[in-house]
Amino acid sequence: MDTRAASAILVRDAIRRGDLTAEAVVSDALARIAEANPRLNAFITVDADRALTAARARDRQPRKDGALHGVPIAIKDTICVRGMRTTAGSRILGDYRPPYDATVIERLEAAGAVVIGKTNCDEFAMGSSTEHSAFSPARNPWDETRTPGGSSGGSAVSVAAGLTPIALGSDTGGSVRQPAALCGVVGARPTYGRVSRYGLIAFASSLDQIGPFGRTVADTALVQDVIGGPDPHDATCTATASESCISGLDAGVRGLRIGVPRRLLEEGVERGVLASFESSVQALAAQGAEIDTIDLPHSRYAIPVYYLVATAEASSNLARYDGVRYGLRAAGASTVGEMYARTRSAGFGAEVKRRLMLGTYALSAGYYDAFYVKAQQVRTLIRKDFERALEHRHAVAVPTSPTPAFRLGERTADPLQMYLSDVFTVGPSLAGLPSISVPIESLPAPGGTGEGRLPIGLQLTGRAWDDATVYRIAAALERAQPRADPV
Amino acid sequence: MASRLTTDEVAHIAELARLDLSPAEREMFAQQLTDILAYAATVQQADTASVADAATAEPRNARLRESSGGHAGTSERRNPGGPELWRHDTPVPGLARDEVLAEAPDGVRDAGLFRVPKVL
């Protein structure tokens, strides 16, 4: 079996049958990573000894019934794995090794998965291209002169390049869905509150969600089922009886209603992206879905709202990086205040500083009402737009990103231009809704080192807690596309 | 909101955020923050009269506050028609202290303290 192209489910089943050992699968993954990582820079940390030890332990287990038994998985470096260096893509954590596992890690390991390493990301998840990583950008395997998107770029690359079949990322304003689209893989953001954030290094607490990547909808759904569920460690994770995401995948879309906010697509979306999107919508209609046009009247406020709310929350969450308890401490400070400022100035990159100041400003005396409170109110309007649209429909469909993967360096000079990459992904985040990106017909690309094509994605957003229906529609869309092999 | 942030204003925000900026950084951020804030300020054009008291992430939180009636709950309280909102107040072990202190830039294991430069 070519474990590079095989899905997580196929690999797991082969291990259960005895056709493969977990050790062989993990060794293969490590070898592929060793070959590709110098070019793609998907991983910041790979712990081969730990992974092989875990794999051998899986092979010794008499019962191999874990849902992900023996399957290697890559973990975004904003998620804590006990004893494994965790950087959040930043210098400020130094050589920090968490003294605890994130809840999602405990659940993955209990299901038999093997953590291979920590993937590259924009610093503290702030970015849309992985270019704001303190460890150099990751590269898109479809064209190594282009970004893989972000902030979970490394995880998207790991799956797209066949290094691991599955990965975890985190999504605040689109950081799982957008890199998934730009790398031609499936990426999902669960309903807010469905997956525990305990052990996820916080960026914006009312928006952050850990989400899975896979090359197939089924693999992605399976990972979400494994990691999700109530957690006493996270007071916002209250998933009451949530339907399994994988169990209804083959039910089809006959009779399901999908809305498209056509007005939003009139400007700013590349022609090829729009054409591929439309043809995918037709494919869903051909399978029996009822498609109509909807309006999301407050969409134009989504990015400004996001960059006020998320940065405000970040300014509070990142106050803890002060040189006291972990990570970097700048030398030579004679007072604790000096230590804070020197540590943070030395340890944070420019994008983080920019967002911290934006957030601080939005919360500061004299501006709090006009910026932060107003943004939260407009957020409610955005959420109500979605609720209204979804009252009589099962999903809203848009292209995940207005363009395919852009070139490294293309958007870094203008922060605002980079923020506009998120135009379709931030709305569902603000509304707390489940949202998934599925690869659709790729576009021909000029030059590049890949196969001469650039992937794009279609984003489906559903009702709160109805992740299962979103996956079901995604699976139908997948059936209408050619198979997505690793690049 | 339309006028450019001065480098003094940027220095003030940086101080609030506990960041030391060089003069060059202050210039750069003044321009960038001005542009971003001008764009962000478009939220003021939205009519929020209907949502004046809505400033939470999701409606569930509002239901939480309503049904608990603001009581500091006993562990046995169960809200009518809703999920149990209060957990039992049972102490459980926290993180292993030595493991935590091992990650500190200047941890004092015997005393279980993080040592820092003087506060004042």
Side-chain angles (χ1 to χ4, degrees):
Chain A
M1 170 180 285
D2 175 11
T3 55
R4 181 173 173 269
S7 72
I9 291 174
L10 280 181
V11 166
R12 173 201 72 189
D13 289 348
I15 295 172
R16 281 177 177 171
R17 281 194 309 266
D19 293 346
L20 284 174
T21 61
E23 186 176 353
V25 169
V26 167
S27 292
D28 280 352
L30 289 168
R32 290 194 297 270
I33 292 166
E35 189 277 319
N37 208 51
R39 281 179 295 116
L40 299 178
N41 201 25
F43 286 83
I44 294 175
T45 299
V46 178
D47 192 339
D49 285 340
R50 182 188 169 129
L52 288 167
T53 302
R56 289 179 198 121
R58 306 285 185 266
D59 286 331
R60 282 194 303 271
Q61 272 171 244
R63 295 186 57 129
K64 302 181 195 296
D65 45 10
L68 292 169
H69 184 88
V71 180
I73 186 166
I75 306 293
K76 182 179 187 179
D77 212 9
T78 51
I79 297 170
C80 288
V81 175
R82 188 174 189 172
M84 198 183 279
R85 185 187 184 201
T86 293
T87 67
S90 180
R91 293 284 173 205
I92 208 165
L93 278 174
D95 196 40
Y96 175 69
R97 280 149 208 275
Y100 69 108
D101 278 319
T103 297
V104 294
I105 300 300
E106 286 182 354
R107 291 179 180 173
L108 285 170
E109 292 189 329
V114 176
V115 171
I116 292 280
K118 311 303 288 309
T119 57
N120 201 357
C121 56
D122 286 296
E123 190 177 0
F124 286 100
M126 298 181 187
S128 307
S129 66
T130 314
E131 291 173 285
H132 294 303
S133 167
F135 300 92
S136 294
R139 287 163 186 273
N140 195 315
W142 291 76
D143 176 345
E144 291 170 25
T145 69
R146 293 177 192 263
T147 82
S151 61
S152 312
S155 283
V157 171
S158 184
V159 174
L163 306 181
T164 59
I166 48 177
L168 282 193
S170 67
D171 187 303
T172 303
S175 290
V176 166
R177 292 163 287 154
Q178 185 254 27
L182 270 46
C183 289
V185 298
V186 181
R189 181 203 158 79
T191 300
Y192 182 85
R194 187 149 174 157
V195 176
S196 172
R197 292 180 299 112
Y198 181 73
L200 171 66
I201 292 175
F203 161 15
S205 307
S206 77
L207 294 158
D208 291 343
Q209 274 294 276
I210 292 175
F213 287 95
R215 271 196 311 281
T216 66
V217 173
D219 277 1
T220 310
L222 183 59
V223 176
Q224 186 167 321
D225 281 347
V226 167
I227 62 176
D231 182 15
H233 289 303
D234 176 359
T236 63
C237 180
T238 59
T240 49
S242 291
E243 233 183 301
S244 150
C245 294
I246 199 171
S247 55
L249 282 186
D250 295 333
V253 292
R254 191 153 301 281
L256 295 187
R257 290 178 297 282
I258 301 172
V260 178
R262 289 233 141 70
R263 191 118 55 100
L264 295 188
L265 310 184
E266 279 166 10
E267 263 185 61
V269 181
E270 249 182 54
R271 187 116 57 82
V273 172
L274 204 48
S276 178
F277 170 76
E278 291 294 356
S279 112
S280 295
V281 168
Q282 290 318 306
L284 286 170
Q287 291 185 52
E290 292 161 32
I291 317 286
D292 71 341
T293 299
I294 60 166
D295 199 16
L296 296 171
H298 298 92
S299 299
R300 70 187 183 95
Y301 297 115
I303 292 198
V305 166
Y306 175 78
Y307 280 97
L308 287 171
V309 172
T311 57
E313 294 183 8
S315 73
S316 180
N317 279 326
L318 270 67
R320 69 194 66 181
Y321 302 103
D322 56 13
V324 176
R325 287 152 296 172
Y326 34 65
L328 188 73
R329 175 186 290 193
S334 47
T335 66
V336 80
E338 239 178 71
M339 181 186 79
Y340 293 163
R342 285 195 196 186
T343 298
R344 292 160 68 80
S345 307
F348 287 141
E351 181 61 30
V352 169
K353 287 177 181 168
R354 198 163 22 243
R355 295 199 194 195
L356 290 182
M357 287 196 286
L358 207 44
T360 302
Y361 189 86
L363 291 173
S364 65
Y367 296 106
Y368 174 78
D369 286 319
F371 279 126
Y372 181 73
V373 172
K374 186 76 180 184
Q376 285 282 49
Q377 291 166 343
V378 180
R379 179 184 187 168
T380 304
L381 293 175
I382 291 169
R383 179 170 55 73
K384 284 180 187 291
D385 280 356
F386 275 95
E387 285 174 356
R388 206 174 305 119
L390 291 165
E391 209 184 336
H392 301 294
R393 293 177 191 82
H394 300 89
V396 171
V398 289
T400 307
S401 164
T403 68
F406 42 94
R407 295 204 193 270
L408 291 158
E410 191 180 306
R411 298 184 185 178
T412 44
D414 183 357
L416 204 44
Q417 209 210 349
M418 185 72 85
Y419 297 165
L420 294 171
S421 314
D422 302 337
V423 65
F424 296 126
T425 53
V426 292
S429 291
L430 292 168
L433 300 175
S435 194
I436 187 170
S437 180
V438 184
I440 57 176
E441 184 67 41
S442 59
L443 306 185
T449 58
E451 298 170 61
R453 297 196 72 81
L454 290 178
I456 53 174
L458 185 150
Q459 177 180 274
L460 295 158
T461 301
R463 298 164 176 162
W465 308 107
D466 197 20
D467 306 50
T469 301
V470 179
Y471 273 99
R472 177 176 153 190
I473 302 171
L477 192 53
E478 183 182 56
R479 285 194 286 279
Q481 315 291 331
R483 197 198 134 86
D485 279 331
V487 185
Chain B
M1 304 302 153
S3 56
R4 195 182 183 282
L5 281 178
T6 64
T7 49
D8 277 352
E9 285 170 310
V10 173
H12 172 62
I13 299 165
E15 199 184 316
L16 291 175
R18 300 284 184 267
L19 294 169
D20 275 343
L21 299 180
S22 68
E25 279 178 309
R26 261 179 249 140
E27 265 309 315
M28 176 187 77
F29 286 129
Q31 187 54 62
Q32 289 176 344
L33 291 175
T34 299
D35 292 341
I36 297 166
L37 285 166
Y39 179 57
T42 57
V43 296
Q44 274 132 32
Q45 295 164 18
D47 180 358
T48 51
S50 64
V51 288
D53 60 355
T56 57
E58 14 110 44
R60 189 161 12 98
N61 289 343
R63 284 204 301 278
L64 214 83
R65 283 198 300 280
E66 280 158 23
S67 54
S68 75
H71 295 279
T74 64
S75 55
E76 299 309 319
R77 179 178 297 279
R78 186 174 280 276
N79 292 280
E84 187 176 290
L85 294 174
W86 302 98
R87 64 174 173 82
H88 292 265
D89 188 13
T90 315
V92 294
L95 297 175
R97 198 173 79 170
D98 278 358
E99 228 179 308
V100 171
L101 285 170
E103 291 306 315
D106 191 0
V108 184
R109 271 159 118 147
D110 298 337
L113 299 171
F114 300 97
R115 189 163 34 211
V116 296
K118 68 178 194 288
V119 177
L120 292 170

